[in-house]
Amino acid sequence: MEGPPTVTGNRALMLEEPLIFELAGTTTTGVDLPQSAAGGSNRLGGFERSEPIGLPGLSEPETVRHYTRLSRQNYAIDLGLFPLGSCTMKHNPRLNEKVARLPGFADCHPLAPTQTVQGALGVIHELGEWLKSLTGMPAVAMSPKAGAHGELCGILAIRAALEARGDARKVVLCPESAHGTNPATAAFAGYEVEDIPANADGRVDFDALEARLGPDIAAVMITNPNTCGLFERDFRRIADAVHAAGGLVYCDGANFNAIVGRVRPGDLGVDAMHINLHKTFSTPHGGGGPGSGPVVFSEALAPFAPLPFVEQLEDGSFHLVEEETAQEHHASTFGRMTAFHGQMGMFTRALAYILSHGADGLKQVAEDAVLNANYILRSLEDVLAAPFAHSGHCMHEALFGDEGFGGGLTTLDLAKGLIDEGFHPMTMYFPLVVHGAMLVEPTETESKASLDQFITALRSVAQRAKAGDQTLKSAPHYAPRRRLDETQAARKPVLAWQDPPATSQAPAGTPSRSERGGR
Ligand SMILES: *Cc1c(COP(=O)(O)O)cnc(C)c1O
């Protein structure tokens, strides 16, 4: 389908776009600023800038076009099914966006006197109450800014609780299938990390875990449903055994979408769990600045939860508790995770999502997410190895492996082939317990027609991978930049644009991208 080359490099509506520094020099400016009066004084005390600022000088329309053109080369949840497993890339309802943009929420300042932002504090409080009842946990910290940040918050509370009883436990146990953030969090908080093996079903090996428990184990960190897409049926037994051995239980709640409204982690013996609002509660990933990863706590950990938090006073008004006080219930706080109270834009969106679904709607979210994932698993298990298909129904994500691929083809080649079919690839090579893992999460809002289209595309690419079709080796064929050297990009990233050396004058005519220097 290669046509003749075009002089512009554009392909119909697919527009080429150079780097912003290549579009505009750094010596021009896109805005007119009034000349400061000659000899006029300023209050910079001699710190005036003496050199050009070095930013590209584009006008407003040029700037808008540049970023709009780049955005068209992106894949997004608003364009199509986004099968990234573990990440729950779900539709962001437009109602949430409308609510988040109400000026009373969008424009309030974190240092505004609390009596002027009672409504905003009320939103934080009400969302916190929902998270507590949905998880069956008595306390919540709203300030952490992401799942990984929430993990750190939970582990710091666990550390504070252990220190408070003079217990110098050193080891945190994580299953082999854990998300990389779990061991990283434990190590960051000063713990040694040890693996818990999985059994043949893809779940935590209870006997191996129990055998390792002892006076040196501070906590376990277990994802439920786990990253193999399976519910940890022994969770209650695990939690009881860990507690009996004097340890604490951290649950990675990133997969809460599969069980929200159906299972309360508090009933399973969890002491701390983060909730990724951008996964389960439909807020955009990273939209409007940092995300939000509230953490719920058990009775045992509640006294150690971080500041600040919102408290409702007897007269119904809201108060932001900023300082430790002698009062029993927040005297032992481990400190702060962030400067302020958390991400207001995410709180308003998440609460709008919860209230528009209601308790019954949230339960249906989990059921539909699980149904859609099982539809994908059962529709593809004849062409793709499905290592845990024998372990029962999957939860909200389906896990495949690369067994049976021919001609030296790998999961990476299949994923690149999927790009040619117009889909963002699934999560690859995670979890580590499956060779060439492919973790597919459709989420609950995909229609059957959209699932069928994805299944048709993945089935076709999977059949080509099994047949050893070597054209997959050079896929994607239709993406603007073809296949990139991802190892080089990760190991030797070029993050700053440099002016090309003055000697390498651009030849007449439009230089090709590779000829443009300084990248
Ligand atoms: C997404 C995810 C995390 C980390 O959450 P972030 O919000 O991306 O920091 C941790 N564990 C699991 C299983 C996840 O899927």
Side-chain angles (χ1 to χ4, degrees):
M1 268 203 270
E2 285 287 302
T6 57
V7 290
T8 51
N10 297 334
R11 299 257 166 150
L13 297 180
M14 206 55 199
L15 303 177
E16 266 299 321
E17 190 60 9
L19 297 179
I20 196 167
F21 286 95
E22 297 166 337
L23 274 179
T26 54
T27 53
T28 57
T29 171
V31 286
D32 287 328
L33 297 172
Q35 284 296 338
S36 52
S41 64
N42 62 46
R43 287 180 286 165
L44 296 174
F47 286 109
E48 300 96 316
R49 181 162 48 74
S50 55
E51 300 201 334
I53 195 165
L55 290 177
L58 291 183
S59 67
E60 180 176 302
E62 288 170 325
T63 309
V64 169
R65 280 187 183 161
H66 174 68
Y67 287 107
T68 305
R69 285 176 177 162
L70 287 183
S71 75
R72 285 164 41 116
Q73 300 189 2
N74 232 337
Y75 196 82
I77 189 65
D78 289 345
L79 285 172
L81 185 147
F82 210 123
L84 212 53
S86 209
C87 286
T88 312
M89 305 295 289
K90 64 162 76 173
H91 170 64
N92 311 136
R94 292 308 184 260
L95 176 65
N96 301 359
E97 300 303 317
K98 187 171 177 181
V99 170
R101 282 165 177 71
L102 292 174
F105 296 131
D107 297 344
C108 67
H109 191 280
L111 290 176
T114 52
Q115 66 272 24
T116 67
V117 288
Q118 284 291 305
L121 294 179
V123 164
I124 301 176
H125 180 77
E126 188 170 348
L127 177 61
E129 292 300 305
W130 270 96
L131 298 180
K132 287 193 287 181
S133 35
L134 286 169
T135 56
M137 309 274 284
V140 64
M142 300 297 288
S143 60
K145 296 287 179 66
H149 203 216
E151 287 173 34
L152 183 61
C153 174
I155 291 295
L156 290 179
I158 287 174
R159 194 176 78 181
L162 291 172
E163 280 170 0
R165 68 180 196 213
D167 199 340
R169 292 166 181 253
K170 277 260 127 306
V171 179
V172 168
L173 300 178
C174 296
E176 286 173 331
S177 60
H179 194 272
T181 51
N182 292 185
T185 295
F188 191 71
Y191 289 105
E192 287 159 30
V193 182
E194 284 183 31
D195 273 353
I196 316 171
N199 62 24
D201 276 356
R203 298 188 170 91
V204 167
D205 183 334
F206 178 78
D207 295 334
L209 170 78
E210 195 182 33
R212 183 60 191 86
L213 291 176
D216 59 334
I217 304 297
V220 296
M221 295 182 86
I222 298 180
T223 310
N224 197 21
N226 71 23
T227 60
C228 296
L230 302 170
F231 191 78
E232 293 284 358
R233 295 174 186 150
D234 282 337
F235 203 98
R236 180 80 239 186
R237 256 174 98 208
I238 293 171
D240 290 346
V242 172
H243 287 148
L248 289 146
V249 177
Y250 188 88
C251 178
D252 179 331
N255 293 337
F256 194 46
N257 199 46
I259 56 172
V260 59
R262 304 259 328 184
V263 176
R264 300 192 316 162
D267 298 336
L268 302 179
V270 170
D271 289 303
M273 179 179 101
H274 72 263
I275 301 163
N276 314 59
L277 295 188
H278 50 290
K279 294 180 182 172
T280 304
F281 296 107
S282 84
T283 65
H285 286 239
S292 182
V295 181
V296 284
F297 292 104
S298 65
E299 214 65 75
L301 287 185
F304 305 96
L307 294 168
F309 58 89
V310 178
E311 195 177 54
Q312 188 162 28
L313 302 179
E314 297 219 322
D315 65 0
S317 67
F318 297 101
H319 171 57
L320 197 60
V321 180
E322 296 262 22
E323 308 274 344
E324 298 173 35
T325 72
Q327 270 169 285
E328 193 78 9
H329 64 295
H330 40 85
S332 323
T333 173
F334 73 74
R336 258 170 202 270
M337 293 301 292
T338 62
F340 300 114
H341 43 59
Q343 229 287 11
M344 202 60 218
M346 297 298 128
F347 296 157
T348 43
R349 286 176 175 88
L351 185 60
Y353 182 77
I354 288 175
L355 293 179
S356 60
H357 281 71
D360 56 338
L362 290 175
K363 183 161 164 264
Q364 195 184 341
V365 161
E367 291 168 352
D368 291 351
V370 170
L371 180 66
N372 282 358
N374 277 282
Y375 183 60
I376 286 185
L377 179 65
R378 297 308 165 194
S379 301
L380 289 164
E381 63 182 338
D382 61 325
V383 284
L384 277 173
F388 299 121
H390 67 275
S391 308
H393 298 311
C394 66
M395 298 303 290
H396 63 326
E397 46 200 0
L399 180 57
F400 301 102
D402 65 358
E403 200 186 312
F405 284 11
L409 294 174
T410 63
T411 291
L412 182 72
D413 301 321
L414 175 142
K416 299 298 182 191
L418 204 54
I419 294 176
D420 277 339
E421 296 289 349
F423 286 100
H424 191 286
M426 65 287 274
T427 293
M428 295 183 291
Y429 301 107
F430 174 77
L432 305 177
V433 290
V434 169
H435 197 271
M438 288 164 262
L439 191 59
V440 178
E441 180 176 353
T443 81
E444 63 281 359
T445 47
E446 296 303 328
S447 65
K448 178 160 181 301
S450 134
L451 295 176
D452 284 336
Q453 193 195 31
F454 175 72
I455 289 165
T456 304
L458 183 48
R459 166 173 285 280
S460 152
V461 185
Q463 275 161 344
R464 287 167 60 200
K466 287 182 100 169
D469 177 349
Q470 293 300 306
T471 61
L472 277 179
K473 268 272 165 243
S474 45
H477 298 271
Y478 305 124
R481 290 294 167 268
R482 308 288 308 267
R483 188 168 306 200
L484 303 177
D485 187 336
E486 289 165 4
T487 312
Q488 281 281 74
R491 296 283 174 248
K492 294 198 175 143
V494 181
L495 301 177
W497 182 83
Q498 287 152 1
D499 252 320
T503 46
S504 72
Q505 271 298 322
T510 312
S512 76
R513 287 188 73 84
S514 58
E515 283 165 339
R516 294 194 191 111
R519 309 272 295 280

